[in-house]
Amino acid sequence: MGRYHTDQATSDDLLRYDDFRAALYDVITQAETPLTVGVFGPWGSGKTSLMRMLRRKLEGEGLDSRRTVWFTAWKYDRQEALWRAFILRVLDALYPRETEPAGAPREERPILQQPGEREQRLVDLLQRLEESVYQAADWTEMGGRAINWWQFISNTTKAGVETAATLGTAGLFPQLKKMMGGDDTPVAEIQKAAAAIGRETKQYHRRQLFHMEQFEAMFREAVQLIDAGAAGRLVVFVDDLDRCLPEKAVEVLEAIKLFLEVPGAVFVLGMDQAVIRQGIEIRYGAMLRGAGGERLELPIRGDSYLQKIVQIPFHLPPLAVEDVTTFIEKLAADLSPRTQAVLARGLYPNPRQVKRVLNILRLLRGVADRRFPQDVIADPLLAKTVVIQTQYPELYQLWRQYPTLVQTLEMEMARRPVSEEDLFMGARRILPAPKGEEDAAAEEEGAAGSLGRGGLLATYLENRTENALLRRMMTYPPPDEEGEGRERARFSGLAREAVQAYVRLAGAVQNNETAPPVEVVVGLDAFLSGEAVRIQEAVSVLDSEEADSAGPKHQGARRQLVAVLQNPDQPTAARVSAGESLALLGDPRFRGAEGYCLPADEMLGFVEIPAGPFRMGSDPERDPQAREDEQPAHEVTLPTFYLARYPVTLAQFRLFAQQSGYEPRDKDSLQGAANHPVMWIAWVDAVAYCNWLDQALREWVETPAGLRQALANGYRVLLPSEAEWEKAARGDDGRIFPWGDTFDSECANSKESDLGRTSPVGCFPAGGSARGLLDMSGNVWEWTRSLYQGYPYKPGADREKWSASDTDHFVLKGGSWINERSWLHCGVRHHYSSNYWSNTRGLRVVLSPFTADR
């Protein structure tokens, strides 16, 4: 095969950018100035190449009246002041240059040694501008420092003042130093020094404002001096802004607006608009925090900010299908037309992605030529393999487990060919789209054909829009044109070992952490049967095949079972059975005993619920299930807290009892499947668990930094208050159930589910709250720290307790597996005494700033 391709931008037009380039060239050379043009597109879409083509055309014309400069922002990202590096780079491009050596780029030639009057004036201006860049400082920051120093000095000693002085800008403290005679300096003298600082700072501010105005005026003159007729034009190309830290990228944008936006100047900014927009909001959002750390309303939105900076936005469109074909033909002319057609049909229309796939294809072709006899590995099928591996990694992992999966995929996709609308919606995406778009066509067809709704391939068969390119590739060519030998283009009809060779070959470029291709010997149907005997037998067979429970077969089985459990399209029985199987195999969603059996994510399962108001209680006009003690609905405001994603599992509670020696009120609370919610829990048992976990997280060296910081800031592991629980369940839109306003038996383990028992936590993913909290309704009632009293609810020590008498009644929330739908809405309230327990009582923990005594 041919050569490999780098990811470097090119000045050669392989992307059919002629029309774009011509239109942008006219804008750059003819539009009124100052002007900023945004070339927007995601990473790898060809922004840099297009900009280089524009610059090459401008430079190639050799006009003295034009200057161009290229600034790759991320290369200077580590500079303390990126704005300074940017301005200096622009100023350097304006210096008059020698004409020799003629072949060298203009910016590499020496500065003109015998300048004329105009050129000398330009050199003088540029030198003054360069000097002023180094004299500039952030005057708004200086203002903040002056206020802080004033407060510091008015209550300190001479030593303290001198310490503050050393932190200041040079020259700011001469009056102060003269006034300080020793450690016994009178307070009055210190106050005089402070006043002097204030006066000096004000003068400094005035100088700064004057400096900014003066800089812009001198820069305007410098641009005019490019050309003898005062018609000079400076074109500044800024690339890779989206690879900088947010605050650095904003520095460049603000330098343009504050200092460089003058007649004759054109700025061409290449960036991913979404990344920069987010960076702007992050930068200004971090500056807008209330006294309690809460985020205030952001007055500057990323979109409006960019609109002020960029006058002409140009959004680089995804490559059209014919453009992808042409691009592949130019880059890989040695590939057969059939292989090129496979790639053109399946690849996301992103130049970087196309190059990456071509490189991997060449690498694997080289391996195949050395490992297999000739014609065993067909180029079109190898191309399909690489596309699946790079663009559909989850599908590739399934394929690793089931080698004949791609044959089934071909067959099922052929039953429902892709439509033009599907192709348009799918091809417009440069990268895989987030989940969530409705697909009416798949709904009408009843999902996944012979596999049934919710099968392993359901995601790829049902979502026709998102997977349109995959469908088009897998159905090419028609069955009667499949080809043979090295030109075979369909997997159907190949023996199992022949198909397996492709997925094994692709493993050569997998991440080192990925296990080699394996098959789960025991069929998935046994684990999903819902029959305890079959599940146990399946686990036993797997253990006999692989003694190491951490081996690849066990890991493969767990991955598949988790995928089923977390798929809301799977039947309830299958999801629950997958959870029951994981209880025996080991549930990878949770850490082992060394991690207190907590969820295996970066926050140990704690989900942030931001500060703010919410609507608590039930309105009978909206919810006919509303009971009297849930009224009236009213607004409650809470600080930020962190609620656990799942109820406390039996494994977590059992570990607590083992390590602490605690004896719960009912020993049945220690029996059962590890990933079910613990039950038979009294309020006092729940409090004991919370106290133990709080201490454990404070002492554990691996406690995540975010949780450790919260604990250090006064947060504690507690039972949630009734208000905290309800806010987390309702979200910000006041929904009746955690998932919405309509009851659905697929969303919660309730009487309607007809399970007749608790279920492994997380088995009802469709019932997740807006924040992704699971099992908020159904499974087990959850204790809170709130006393059962009437509404309105007022958070605080009078309403919430962390110790109890036998007569205290505490609120429980959420309903359980035994309750019908009328007990499952967010506003429902149940209550029992602190020493009451049953097989429907459990708990969920929170990290809360509640401050009542323990």
Side-chain angles (χ1 to χ4, degrees):
M1 282 193 168
R3 62 185 178 87
Y4 290 87
H5 304 285
T6 70
D7 192 33
Q8 298 297 316
T10 177
S11 295
D12 298 324
D13 188 6
L14 302 178
L15 301 172
R16 299 177 64 178
Y17 280 172
D18 293 344
D19 294 340
F20 306 152
R21 184 175 54 195
L24 289 173
Y25 173 83
D26 290 343
V27 170
I28 291 171
T29 57
Q30 299 176 22
E32 293 184 3
T33 58
L35 177 70
T36 302
V37 179
V39 179
F40 297 133
W43 290 355
S45 58
K47 302 184 300 296
T48 302
S49 294
L50 176 59
M51 291 164 62
R52 287 198 182 280
M53 294 174 200
L54 284 166
R55 190 189 185 205
R56 185 176 67 173
K57 179 173 177 60
L58 291 168
E59 287 286 343
E61 293 173 342
L63 299 178
D64 291 338
S65 60
R66 292 181 190 160
R67 298 286 186 271
T68 69
V69 58
W70 188 276
F71 185 75
T72 304
W74 71 270
K75 290 185 178 180
Y76 300 86
D77 196 37
R78 293 185 180 273
Q79 295 282 335
E80 181 179 354
L82 179 60
W83 64 269
R84 180 181 290 129
F86 171 58
I87 291 177
L88 290 174
R89 184 77 179 87
V90 172
L91 295 179
D92 182 72
L94 289 175
Y95 276 98
R97 305 282 178 169
E98 298 285 358
T99 57
E100 297 293 335
R106 186 181 180 283
E107 62 265 27
E108 296 180 10
R109 299 174 192 164
I111 296 174
L112 192 64
Q113 298 301 304
Q114 296 181 342
E117 181 178 350
R118 178 177 58 83
E119 289 86 357
Q120 185 60 54
R121 171 61 179 164
L122 177 57
V123 170
D124 292 342
L125 276 174
L126 294 172
Q127 290 176 345
R128 289 174 58 192
L129 287 169
E130 287 178 345
E131 291 175 3
S132 67
V133 166
Y134 283 101
Q135 294 172 357
D138 189 338
W139 57 273
T140 57
E141 185 179 346
M142 284 295 301
R145 287 179 182 170
I147 294 172
N148 291 336
W149 288 334
W150 181 287
Q151 295 170 345
F152 180 79
I153 291 168
S154 63
N155 294 286
T156 190
T157 64
K158 175 204 171 193
V161 173
E162 290 190 335
T163 301
T166 62
L167 301 176
T169 301
L172 188 60
F173 289 88
Q175 297 94 335
L176 177 61
K177 292 181 178 179
K178 291 178 181 178
M179 291 181 180
M180 304 310 295
D183 288 335
D184 57 349
T185 302
V187 173
E189 294 299 309
I190 297 176
Q191 291 176 338
K192 291 179 181 178
I197 294 172
R199 289 192 301 273
E200 183 69 18
T201 302
K202 291 177 183 178
Q203 293 173 6
Y204 181 82
H205 288 178
R206 295 191 186 98
R207 290 196 300 271
Q208 280 295 103
L209 290 169
F210 175 75
H211 166 78
M212 294 169 66
E213 298 289 341
Q214 190 178 47
F215 186 100
E216 183 180 345
M218 288 193 297
F219 184 70
R220 180 186 299 109
E221 184 181 354
V223 172
Q224 292 175 346
L225 288 172
I226 292 175
D227 179 62
R233 183 161 292 220
L234 172 67
V235 183
V236 182
F237 294 90
V238 182
D239 193 25
D240 283 337
L241 264 180
D242 44 18
R243 294 177 64 180
C244 296
L245 293 172
E247 60 270 22
K248 296 292 187 179
V250 175
E251 278 187 28
V252 174
L253 297 177
E254 292 183 345
I256 292 172
K257 201 68 178 175
L258 291 174
F259 296 107
L260 306 180
E261 197 175 46
V262 301
V266 179
F267 299 90
V268 183
L269 312 180
M271 54 188 169
D272 184 333
Q273 184 182 19
V275 174
I276 294 297
R277 181 173 60 239
Q278 184 180 23
I280 291 167
E281 295 181 359
I282 290 174
R283 172 182 168 88
Y284 285 101
M287 298 166 58
L288 294 168
R289 297 279 179 179
E294 72 277 8
R295 183 167 178 172
L296 304 177
E297 184 178 355
L298 189 66
I300 301 176
R301 310 303 302 182
D303 284 329
S304 58
Y305 185 98
L306 281 176
Q307 288 171 9
K308 286 183 175 293
I309 297 291
V310 177
Q311 291 82 53
I312 298 183
F314 174 74
H315 296 268
L316 197 60
L319 299 177
V321 175
E322 58 271 19
D323 294 335
V324 175
T325 302
T326 302
F327 190 46
I328 292 172
E329 289 173 350
K330 291 180 179 178
L331 289 177
D334 57 307
L335 293 180
S336 69
R338 175 167 287 203
T339 305
Q340 292 177 353
V342 166
L343 294 171
R345 281 165 169 75
L347 281 172
Y348 289 120
N350 179 289
R352 180 172 293 163
Q353 177 75 352
V354 172
K355 289 181 180 179
R356 181 169 181 264
V357 167
L358 287 175
N359 286 341
I360 294 175
L361 180 59
R362 294 188 193 287
L363 173 62
L364 295 185
R365 181 72 258 178
V367 173
D369 288 342
R370 292 165 176 79
R371 182 178 296 179
F372 298 97
Q374 189 176 8
D375 295 345
V376 169
I377 300 297
D379 287 344
L381 293 183
L382 187 57
K384 289 184 178 182
T385 301
V386 175
V387 171
I388 291 173
Q389 180 200 49
T390 55
Q391 295 184 176
Y392 307 93
E394 293 178 357
L395 177 61
Y396 175 70
Q397 292 304 324
L398 283 175
W399 187 12
R400 290 164 65 88
Q401 301 299 320
Y402 300 95
T404 60
L405 174 144
V406 289
Q407 294 175 318
T408 305
L409 189 65
E410 276 186 355
M411 178 182 67
E412 291 296 327
M413 286 186 164
R415 293 177 64 249
R416 290 168 291 171
V418 65
S419 68
E420 288 300 320
E421 181 181 0
D422 294 336
L423 281 176
F424 173 76
M425 297 299 291
R428 68 184 173 86
R429 294 187 173 119
I430 298 299
L431 297 174
K435 306 293 184 185
E437 287 199 15
E438 295 286 336
D439 191 338
E443 288 292 325
E444 292 173 2
E445 295 247 6
S450 61
L451 292 181
R453 186 170 185 264
L456 290 173
L457 296 176
T459 297
Y460 308 98
L461 296 175
E462 294 177 12
N463 196 328
R464 300 166 63 86
T465 296
E466 183 173 333
N467 297 297
L469 297 178
L470 175 65
R471 183 183 297 271
R472 186 175 62 173
M473 181 184 75
M474 295 304 294
T475 55
Y476 171 83
D480 57 350
E481 299 176 14
E482 65 182 23
E484 59 184 12
R486 193 150 175 161
E487 284 300 301
R488 186 183 184 95
R490 292 182 70 89
F491 289 102
S492 299
L494 289 179
R496 179 187 183 89
E497 294 75 13
V499 179
Q500 198 171 29
Y502 288 93
V503 72
R504 289 185 179 276
L505 184 60
V509 292
Q510 275 293 99
N511 188 302
N512 291 334
E513 297 178 358
T514 304
V518 296
E519 298 176 58
V520 177
V521 176
V522 179
L524 188 63
D525 59 334
F527 289 112
L528 302 182
S529 65
E531 299 176 16
V533 174
R534 288 191 65 190
I535 293 174
Q536 183 61 62
E537 177 64 15
V539 173
S540 298
V541 171
L542 186 58
D543 288 342
S544 66
E545 293 287 338
E546 184 181 67
D548 182 7
S549 64
K553 292 182 180 179
H554 281 76
Q555 292 179 4
R558 294 185 190 107
R559 283 197 299 269
Q560 294 172 49
L561 291 169
V562 169
V564 172
L565 182 149
Q566 295 178 338
N567 185 350
D569 290 331
Q570 289 279 2
T572 297
R575 299 194 309 269
V576 173
S577 187
E580 303 287 7
S581 299
L582 288 170
L584 297 174
L585 283 172
D587 196 331
R589 296 176 298 160
F590 298 91
R591 299 168 183 259
E594 72 283 355
Y596 305 105
C597 300
L598 295 169
D601 61 44
E602 62 180 359
M603 285 292 285
L604 304 180
F606 284 97
V607 177
E608 180 180 3
I609 310 299
F614 81 105
R615 194 75 174 165
M616 186 174 183
S618 299
D619 183 350
E621 293 185 2
R622 282 197 66 224
D623 184 6
Q625 304 168 107
R627 292 175 172 80
E628 186 174 348
D629 67 347
E630 302 167 24
Q631 303 176 45
H634 56 290
E635 185 172 279
V636 176
T637 299
L638 297 174
T640 296
F641 60 94
Y642 302 81
L643 191 64
R645 187 180 307 280
Y646 305 107
V648 171
T649 65
L650 191 141
Q652 294 162 8
F653 192 83
R654 188 158 50 200
L655 181 68
F656 145 64
Q658 292 170 352
Q659 293 191 357
S660 67
Y662 182 81
E663 294 186 5
R665 294 298 185 272
D666 193 318
K667 291 186 178 179
D668 282 345
S669 62
L670 305 178
Q671 306 301 317
N675 59 4
H676 280 241
V678 65
M679 52 186 182
W680 303 102
I681 295 297
W683 188 86
V684 290
D685 297 327
V687 167
Y689 174 81
C690 291
N691 290 339
W692 170 81
L693 183 60
D694 181 88
Q695 188 63 33
L697 291 180
R698 293 178 188 277
E699 296 175 354
W700 190 31
V701 296
E702 294 185 34
T703 297
L707 297 184
R708 186 176 297 281
Q709 185 63 47
L711 291 168
N713 289 341
Y715 282 67
R716 295 185 295 178
V717 178
L718 303 163
L719 295 174
S721 70
E722 182 184 1
E724 286 171 340
W725 191 100
E726 190 167 333
K727 177 178 181 179
R730 286 191 183 279
D732 297 326
D733 53 6
R735 54 188 62 180
I736 295 174
F737 298 97
W739 56 85
D741 289 343
T742 304
F743 179 80
D744 186 346
S745 62
E746 288 291 317
C747 293
N749 180 7
S750 64
K751 184 177 181 179
E752 288 79 5
S753 304
D754 202 30
L755 293 179
R757 65 189 186 280
T758 60
S759 54
V761 298
C763 282
F764 290 81
S769 73
R771 297 280 175 181
L773 301 167
L774 296 169
D775 293 328
M776 294 293 282
S777 286
N779 225 355
V780 292
W781 284 100
E782 297 174 11
W783 287 106
T784 74
R785 65 175 186 268
S786 296
L787 294 169
Y788 180 71
Q789 298 175 2
Y791 281 175
Y793 188 99
K794 294 182 179 179
D798 293 335
R799 186 77 182 229
E800 303 160 17
K801 297 182 64 176
W802 202 237
S803 61
S805 68
D806 291 343
T807 59
D808 284 333
H809 276 226
F810 289 88
V811 173
L812 296 107
K813 299 288 286 183
S816 75
W817 57 271
I818 204 171
N819 297 113
E820 61 184 14
R821 68 180 68 187
S822 64
W823 287 95
L824 267 67
H825 57 282
C826 296
V828 76
R829 309 175 71 207
H830 203 12
H831 65 95
Y832 275 95
S833 67
S834 59
N835 277 310
Y836 179 85
W837 68 89
S838 79
N839 64 345
T840 63
R841 306 292 186 265
L843 73 146
R844 187 187 301 258
V845 297
V846 70
L847 266 180
S848 173
F850 177 64
T851 57
D853 292 337
R854 294 196 175 196

